[in-house]
mmCIF file of all heavy atoms in Angstrom:
data_model
loop_
_atom_site.group_PDB
_atom_site.id
_atom_site.type_symbol
_atom_site.label_atom_id
_atom_site.label_comp_id
_atom_site.label_asym_id
_atom_site.label_seq_id
_atom_site.Cartn_x
_atom_site.Cartn_y
_atom_site.Cartn_z
ATOM 1 N N ALA A 1167 -14.327 -55.057 63.665
ATOM 2 C CA ALA A 1167 -13.349 -54.955 64.743
ATOM 3 C C ALA A 1167 -13.862 -54.130 65.928
ATOM 4 O O ALA A 1167 -13.548 -54.427 67.084
ATOM 5 C CB ALA A 1167 -12.054 -54.348 64.209
ATOM 6 N N ASP A 1168 -14.647 -53.115 65.645
ATOM 7 C CA ASP A 1168 -15.092 -52.178 66.679
ATOM 8 C C ASP A 1168 -16.579 -52.363 66.965
ATOM 9 O O ASP A 1168 -17.420 -52.066 66.113
ATOM 10 C CB ASP A 1168 -14.826 -50.744 66.218
ATOM 11 C CG ASP A 1168 -15.200 -49.715 67.273
ATOM 12 O OD1 ASP A 1168 -15.656 -50.116 68.365
ATOM 13 O OD2 ASP A 1168 -15.045 -48.507 66.988
ATOM 14 N N PRO A 1169 -16.959 -52.847 68.150
ATOM 15 C CA PRO A 1169 -18.372 -53.004 68.492
ATOM 16 C C PRO A 1169 -19.144 -51.695 68.424
ATOM 17 O O PRO A 1169 -20.376 -51.695 68.275
ATOM 18 C CB PRO A 1169 -18.334 -53.545 69.921
ATOM 19 C CG PRO A 1169 -16.979 -54.146 70.067
ATOM 20 C CD PRO A 1169 -16.074 -53.308 69.227
ATOM 21 N N GLY A 1170 -18.436 -50.575 68.499
ATOM 22 C CA GLY A 1170 -19.102 -49.282 68.407
ATOM 23 C C GLY A 1170 -19.588 -48.965 67.005
ATOM 24 O O GLY A 1170 -20.335 -47.999 66.814
ATOM 25 N N ASN A 1171 -19.170 -49.769 66.023
ATOM 26 C CA ASN A 1171 -19.582 -49.543 64.631
ATOM 27 C C ASN A 1171 -20.726 -50.444 64.188
ATOM 28 O O ASN A 1171 -21.003 -50.544 62.991
ATOM 29 C CB ASN A 1171 -18.386 -49.761 63.692
ATOM 30 C CG ASN A 1171 -17.348 -48.663 63.821
ATOM 31 O OD1 ASN A 1171 -17.679 -47.532 64.186
ATOM 32 N ND2 ASN A 1171 -16.097 -48.999 63.543
ATOM 33 N N LEU A 1172 -21.379 -51.106 65.123
ATOM 34 C CA LEU A 1172 -22.481 -51.992 64.766
ATOM 35 C C LEU A 1172 -23.615 -51.219 64.099
ATOM 36 O O LEU A 1172 -23.895 -50.071 64.452
ATOM 37 C CB LEU A 1172 -23.014 -52.706 66.015
ATOM 38 C CG LEU A 1172 -22.104 -53.778 66.616
ATOM 39 C CD1 LEU A 1172 -22.670 -54.261 67.943
ATOM 40 C CD2 LEU A 1172 -21.928 -54.936 65.653
ATOM 41 N N GLN A 1173 -24.264 -51.862 63.131
ATOM 42 C CA GLN A 1173 -25.386 -51.243 62.431
ATOM 43 C C GLN A 1173 -26.432 -52.305 62.087
ATOM 44 O O GLN A 1173 -26.221 -53.497 62.313
ATOM 45 C CB GLN A 1173 -24.895 -50.556 61.156
ATOM 46 C CG GLN A 1173 -24.311 -51.507 60.124
ATOM 47 C CD GLN A 1173 -23.731 -50.779 58.919
ATOM 48 O OE1 GLN A 1173 -23.208 -49.677 59.033
ATOM 49 N NE2 GLN A 1173 -23.811 -51.398 57.760
ATOM 50 N N ARG A 1174 -27.547 -51.842 61.563
ATOM 51 C CA ARG A 1174 -28.646 -52.739 61.207
ATOM 52 C C ARG A 1174 -28.157 -53.837 60.259
ATOM 53 O O ARG A 1174 -27.499 -53.571 59.252
ATOM 54 C CB ARG A 1174 -29.766 -51.935 60.556
ATOM 55 C CG ARG A 1174 -31.018 -52.753 60.186
ATOM 56 C CD ARG A 1174 -32.111 -51.819 59.669
ATOM 57 N NE ARG A 1174 -33.297 -52.509 59.239
ATOM 58 C CZ ARG A 1174 -34.300 -52.883 60.015
ATOM 59 N NH1 ARG A 1174 -34.231 -52.624 61.321
ATOM 60 N NH2 ARG A 1174 -35.374 -53.493 59.544
ATOM 61 N N GLY A 1175 -28.475 -55.077 60.596
ATOM 62 C CA GLY A 1175 -28.102 -56.201 59.759
ATOM 63 C C GLY A 1175 -26.811 -56.889 60.146
ATOM 64 O O GLY A 1175 -26.494 -57.947 59.604
ATOM 65 N N ASP A 1176 -26.058 -56.328 61.072
ATOM 66 C CA ASP A 1176 -24.845 -57.005 61.533
ATOM 67 C C ASP A 1176 -25.232 -58.222 62.379
ATOM 68 O O ASP A 1176 -26.294 -58.242 63.020
ATOM 69 C CB ASP A 1176 -23.975 -56.060 62.358
ATOM 70 C CG ASP A 1176 -23.302 -55.005 61.501
ATOM 71 O OD1 ASP A 1176 -23.219 -55.189 60.269
ATOM 72 O OD2 ASP A 1176 -22.849 -53.981 62.067
ATOM 73 N N LEU A 1177 -24.369 -59.210 62.379
ATOM 74 C CA LEU A 1177 -24.622 -60.451 63.109
ATOM 75 C C LEU A 1177 -23.705 -60.545 64.319
ATOM 76 O O LEU A 1177 -22.516 -60.237 64.239
ATOM 77 C CB LEU A 1177 -24.389 -61.657 62.195
ATOM 78 C CG LEU A 1177 -25.244 -61.704 60.924
ATOM 79 C CD1 LEU A 1177 -24.863 -62.918 60.086
ATOM 80 C CD2 LEU A 1177 -26.722 -61.722 61.253
ATOM 81 N N ILE A 1178 -24.284 -60.991 65.439
ATOM 82 C CA ILE A 1178 -23.547 -61.161 66.686
ATOM 83 C C ILE A 1178 -23.542 -62.654 67.018
ATOM 84 O O ILE A 1178 -24.598 -63.287 67.044
ATOM 85 C CB ILE A 1178 -24.204 -60.390 67.849
ATOM 86 C CG1 ILE A 1178 -24.542 -58.955 67.430
ATOM 87 C CG2 ILE A 1178 -23.295 -60.420 69.083
ATOM 88 C CD1 ILE A 1178 -23.350 -58.121 67.045
ATOM 89 N N PHE A 1179 -22.357 -63.201 67.268
ATOM 90 C CA PHE A 1179 -22.235 -64.633 67.529
ATOM 91 C C PHE A 1179 -21.736 -64.917 68.933
ATOM 92 O O PHE A 1179 -20.890 -64.201 69.468
ATOM 93 C CB PHE A 1179 -21.258 -65.278 66.536
ATOM 94 C CG PHE A 1179 -21.778 -65.357 65.126
ATOM 95 C CD1 PHE A 1179 -21.532 -64.316 64.234
ATOM 96 C CD2 PHE A 1179 -22.504 -66.448 64.683
ATOM 97 C CE1 PHE A 1179 -21.995 -64.377 62.934
ATOM 98 C CE2 PHE A 1179 -22.974 -66.523 63.386
ATOM 99 C CZ PHE A 1179 -22.728 -65.483 62.504
ATOM 100 N N TRP A 1180 -22.263 -66.001 69.483
ATOM 101 C CA TRP A 1180 -21.754 -66.620 70.690
ATOM 102 C C TRP A 1180 -21.493 -68.088 70.361
ATOM 103 O O TRP A 1180 -21.799 -68.523 69.247
ATOM 104 C CB TRP A 1180 -22.789 -66.554 71.824
ATOM 105 C CG TRP A 1180 -23.066 -65.211 72.391
ATOM 106 C CD1 TRP A 1180 -22.541 -64.677 73.532
ATOM 107 C CD2 TRP A 1180 -23.982 -64.219 71.881
ATOM 108 N NE1 TRP A 1180 -23.055 -63.423 73.764
ATOM 109 C CE2 TRP A 1180 -23.951 -63.114 72.764
ATOM 110 C CE3 TRP A 1180 -24.825 -64.160 70.768
ATOM 111 C CZ2 TRP A 1180 -24.705 -61.973 72.573
ATOM 112 C CZ3 TRP A 1180 -25.590 -63.022 70.567
ATOM 113 C CH2 TRP A 1180 -25.518 -61.940 71.461
ATOM 114 N N ARG A 1181 -20.968 -68.825 71.274
ATOM 115 C CA ARG A 1181 -20.826 -70.268 71.067
ATOM 116 C C ARG A 1181 -22.221 -70.883 70.985
ATOM 117 O O ARG A 1181 -22.955 -70.923 71.959
ATOM 118 C CB ARG A 1181 -20.027 -70.891 72.219
ATOM 119 C CG ARG A 1181 -19.853 -72.407 72.113
ATOM 120 C CD ARG A 1181 -18.932 -72.926 73.213
ATOM 121 N NE ARG A 1181 -19.368 -72.485 74.537
ATOM 122 C CZ ARG A 1181 -20.298 -73.107 75.254
ATOM 123 N NH1 ARG A 1181 -20.892 -74.189 74.781
ATOM 124 N NH2 ARG A 1181 -20.619 -72.653 76.458
ATOM 125 N N GLY A 1182 -22.611 -71.312 69.788
ATOM 126 C CA GLY A 1182 -23.906 -71.958 69.602
ATOM 127 C C GLY A 1182 -25.079 -71.018 69.468
ATOM 128 O O GLY A 1182 -26.236 -71.456 69.535
ATOM 129 N N HIS A 1183 -24.824 -69.726 69.246
ATOM 130 C CA HIS A 1183 -25.956 -68.793 69.144
ATOM 131 C C HIS A 1183 -25.604 -67.639 68.217
ATOM 132 O O HIS A 1183 -24.435 -67.271 68.078
ATOM 133 C CB HIS A 1183 -26.327 -68.259 70.530
ATOM 134 C CG HIS A 1183 -27.610 -67.476 70.545
ATOM 135 N ND1 HIS A 1183 -28.820 -68.001 70.148
ATOM 136 C CD2 HIS A 1183 -27.870 -66.184 70.895
ATOM 137 C CE1 HIS A 1183 -29.765 -67.088 70.264
ATOM 138 N NE2 HIS A 1183 -29.208 -65.974 70.712
ATOM 139 N N VAL A 1184 -26.635 -67.061 67.591
ATOM 140 C CA VAL A 1184 -26.444 -65.916 66.704
ATOM 141 C C VAL A 1184 -27.678 -65.028 66.758
ATOM 142 O O VAL A 1184 -28.799 -65.501 66.956
ATOM 143 C CB VAL A 1184 -26.179 -66.381 65.249
ATOM 144 C CG1 VAL A 1184 -27.342 -67.190 64.691
ATOM 145 C CG2 VAL A 1184 -25.865 -65.210 64.348
ATOM 146 N N GLY A 1185 -27.458 -63.726 66.606
ATOM 147 C CA GLY A 1185 -28.554 -62.768 66.565
ATOM 148 C C GLY A 1185 -28.274 -61.694 65.535
ATOM 149 O O GLY A 1185 -27.155 -61.555 65.027
ATOM 150 N N ILE A 1186 -29.298 -60.912 65.224
ATOM 151 C CA ILE A 1186 -29.250 -59.877 64.190
ATOM 152 C C ILE A 1186 -29.445 -58.515 64.843
ATOM 153 O O ILE A 1186 -30.388 -58.327 65.627
ATOM 154 C CB ILE A 1186 -30.368 -60.090 63.152
ATOM 155 C CG1 ILE A 1186 -30.300 -61.502 62.558
ATOM 156 C CG2 ILE A 1186 -30.315 -59.028 62.057
ATOM 157 C CD1 ILE A 1186 -31.560 -61.897 61.799
ATOM 158 N N MET A 1187 -28.594 -57.561 64.518
ATOM 159 C CA MET A 1187 -28.763 -56.219 65.060
ATOM 160 C C MET A 1187 -29.858 -55.475 64.288
ATOM 161 O O MET A 1187 -29.853 -55.424 63.056
ATOM 162 C CB MET A 1187 -27.455 -55.436 64.966
ATOM 163 C CG MET A 1187 -26.337 -55.982 65.840
ATOM 164 S SD MET A 1187 -26.767 -56.106 67.600
ATOM 165 C CE MET A 1187 -27.022 -54.360 68.025
ATOM 166 N N LEU A 1188 -30.806 -54.905 65.042
ATOM 167 C CA LEU A 1188 -31.849 -54.071 64.435
ATOM 168 C C LEU A 1188 -31.345 -52.652 64.226
ATOM 169 O O LEU A 1188 -31.786 -51.947 63.317
ATOM 170 C CB LEU A 1188 -33.094 -54.055 65.330
ATOM 171 C CG LEU A 1188 -33.840 -55.384 65.473
ATOM 172 C CD1 LEU A 1188 -35.003 -55.225 66.441
ATOM 173 C CD2 LEU A 1188 -34.324 -55.877 64.125
ATOM 174 N N ASP A 1189 -30.443 -52.240 65.070
ATOM 175 C CA ASP A 1189 -29.773 -50.947 64.971
ATOM 176 C C ASP A 1189 -28.507 -51.085 65.813
ATOM 177 O O ASP A 1189 -28.077 -52.212 66.094
ATOM 178 C CB ASP A 1189 -30.679 -49.798 65.435
ATOM 179 C CG ASP A 1189 -31.311 -50.050 66.804
ATOM 180 O OD1 ASP A 1189 -30.621 -50.604 67.693
ATOM 181 O OD2 ASP A 1189 -32.493 -49.713 66.987
ATOM 182 N N GLN A 1190 -27.915 -49.988 66.226
ATOM 183 C CA GLN A 1190 -26.653 -50.075 66.974
ATOM 184 C C GLN A 1190 -26.821 -50.686 68.359
ATOM 185 O O GLN A 1190 -25.848 -51.192 68.940
ATOM 186 C CB GLN A 1190 -26.025 -48.689 67.106
ATOM 187 C CG GLN A 1190 -24.577 -48.718 67.588
ATOM 188 C CD GLN A 1190 -23.921 -47.355 67.537
ATOM 189 O OE1 GLN A 1190 -24.577 -46.330 67.581
ATOM 190 N NE2 GLN A 1190 -22.594 -47.345 67.426
ATOM 191 N N ASP A 1191 -28.040 -50.694 68.885
ATOM 192 C CA ASP A 1191 -28.236 -51.084 70.277
ATOM 193 C C ASP A 1191 -29.141 -52.284 70.504
ATOM 194 O O ASP A 1191 -29.096 -52.886 71.568
ATOM 195 C CB ASP A 1191 -28.807 -49.903 71.077
ATOM 196 C CG ASP A 1191 -27.933 -48.671 71.009
ATOM 197 O OD1 ASP A 1191 -26.727 -48.804 71.278
ATOM 198 O OD2 ASP A 1191 -28.443 -47.593 70.667
ATOM 199 N N ARG A 1192 -29.989 -52.645 69.541
ATOM 200 C CA ARG A 1192 -30.997 -53.681 69.788
ATOM 201 C C ARG A 1192 -30.708 -54.948 68.987
ATOM 202 O O ARG A 1192 -30.390 -54.883 67.800
ATOM 203 C CB ARG A 1192 -32.396 -53.177 69.455
ATOM 204 C CG ARG A 1192 -32.896 -52.062 70.379
ATOM 205 C CD ARG A 1192 -34.292 -51.645 69.980
ATOM 206 N NE ARG A 1192 -34.308 -51.183 68.584
ATOM 207 C CZ ARG A 1192 -35.305 -51.398 67.731
ATOM 208 N NH1 ARG A 1192 -36.366 -52.079 68.118
ATOM 209 N NH2 ARG A 1192 -35.241 -50.931 66.500
ATOM 210 N N LEU A 1193 -30.863 -56.079 69.674
ATOM 211 C CA LEU A 1193 -30.608 -57.395 69.093
ATOM 212 C C LEU A 1193 -31.926 -58.123 68.865
ATOM 213 O O LEU A 1193 -32.808 -58.140 69.724
ATOM 214 C CB LEU A 1193 -29.742 -58.223 70.044
ATOM 215 C CG LEU A 1193 -29.402 -59.644 69.588
ATOM 216 C CD1 LEU A 1193 -28.345 -59.603 68.492
ATOM 217 C CD2 LEU A 1193 -28.916 -60.476 70.778
ATOM 218 N N LEU A 1194 -32.046 -58.762 67.699
ATOM 219 C CA LEU A 1194 -33.189 -59.614 67.385
ATOM 220 C C LEU A 1194 -32.681 -61.046 67.284
ATOM 221 O O LEU A 1194 -31.727 -61.320 66.546
ATOM 222 C CB LEU A 1194 -33.820 -59.198 66.054
ATOM 223 C CG LEU A 1194 -34.990 -60.049 65.560
ATOM 224 C CD1 LEU A 1194 -36.203 -59.860 66.457
ATOM 225 C CD2 LEU A 1194 -35.352 -59.690 64.117
ATOM 226 N N HIS A 1195 -33.308 -61.961 68.009
ATOM 227 C CA HIS A 1195 -32.852 -63.353 67.941
ATOM 228 C C HIS A 1195 -33.944 -64.308 68.406
ATOM 229 O O HIS A 1195 -34.799 -63.969 69.222
ATOM 230 C CB HIS A 1195 -31.570 -63.566 68.760
ATOM 231 C CG HIS A 1195 -31.652 -63.192 70.209
ATOM 232 N ND1 HIS A 1195 -30.884 -63.789 71.173
ATOM 233 C CD2 HIS A 1195 -32.403 -62.270 70.877
ATOM 234 C CE1 HIS A 1195 -31.137 -63.263 72.363
ATOM 235 N NE2 HIS A 1195 -32.057 -62.334 72.204
ATOM 236 N N ALA A 1196 -33.916 -65.513 67.840
ATOM 237 C CA ALA A 1196 -34.757 -66.599 68.326
ATOM 238 C C ALA A 1196 -33.990 -67.245 69.474
ATOM 239 O O ALA A 1196 -32.862 -67.694 69.297
ATOM 240 C CB ALA A 1196 -35.015 -67.606 67.213
ATOM 241 N N ASN A 1197 -34.606 -67.286 70.640
ATOM 242 C CA ASN A 1197 -33.830 -67.734 71.795
ATOM 243 C C ASN A 1197 -34.692 -68.473 72.813
ATOM 244 O O ASN A 1197 -35.906 -68.287 72.889
ATOM 245 C CB ASN A 1197 -33.132 -66.538 72.451
ATOM 246 C CG ASN A 1197 -34.111 -65.556 73.060
ATOM 247 O OD1 ASN A 1197 -34.450 -65.668 74.229
ATOM 248 N ND2 ASN A 1197 -34.610 -64.598 72.275
ATOM 249 N N ALA A 1198 -34.024 -69.320 73.586
ATOM 250 C CA ALA A 1198 -34.723 -70.168 74.544
ATOM 251 C C ALA A 1198 -35.089 -69.438 75.828
ATOM 252 O O ALA A 1198 -35.849 -69.976 76.636
ATOM 253 C CB ALA A 1198 -33.872 -71.401 74.861
ATOM 254 N N TYR A 1199 -34.557 -68.225 76.033
ATOM 255 C CA TYR A 1199 -34.954 -67.439 77.214
ATOM 256 C C TYR A 1199 -36.379 -66.918 77.038
ATOM 257 O O TYR A 1199 -37.225 -67.069 77.917
ATOM 258 C CB TYR A 1199 -33.976 -66.287 77.424
ATOM 259 C CG TYR A 1199 -34.356 -65.378 78.583
ATOM 260 C CD1 TYR A 1199 -34.104 -65.763 79.899
ATOM 261 C CD2 TYR A 1199 -34.968 -64.135 78.357
ATOM 262 C CE1 TYR A 1199 -34.456 -64.934 80.960
ATOM 263 C CE2 TYR A 1199 -35.315 -63.313 79.414
ATOM 264 C CZ TYR A 1199 -35.060 -63.716 80.713
ATOM 265 O OH TYR A 1199 -35.424 -62.898 81.751
ATOM 266 N N HIS A 1200 -36.647 -66.290 75.898
ATOM 267 C CA HIS A 1200 -38.002 -65.814 75.611
ATOM 268 C C HIS A 1200 -38.870 -66.917 75.010
ATOM 269 O O HIS A 1200 -40.081 -66.765 74.914
ATOM 270 C CB HIS A 1200 -37.947 -64.647 74.621
ATOM 271 C CG HIS A 1200 -37.249 -63.433 75.140
ATOM 272 N ND1 HIS A 1200 -35.922 -63.154 74.854
ATOM 273 C CD2 HIS A 1200 -37.683 -62.415 75.925
ATOM 274 C CE1 HIS A 1200 -35.568 -62.013 75.448
ATOM 275 N NE2 HIS A 1200 -36.608 -61.546 76.099
#
Side-chain angles (χ1 to χ4, degrees):
D1168 183 1
N1171 289 333
L1172 289 172
Q1173 64 185 33
R1174 183 175 177 85
D1176 288 342
L1177 301 178
I1178 313 298
F1179 290 91
W1180 291 261
R1181 179 174 53 84
H1183 189 59
V1184 60
I1186 305 166
M1187 294 304 296
L1188 294 177
D1189 51 39
Q1190 193 172 24
D1191 303 309
R1192 293 181 301 144
L1193 179 75
L1194 177 69
H1195 57 152
N1197 66 91
Y1199 177 78
H1200 296 97

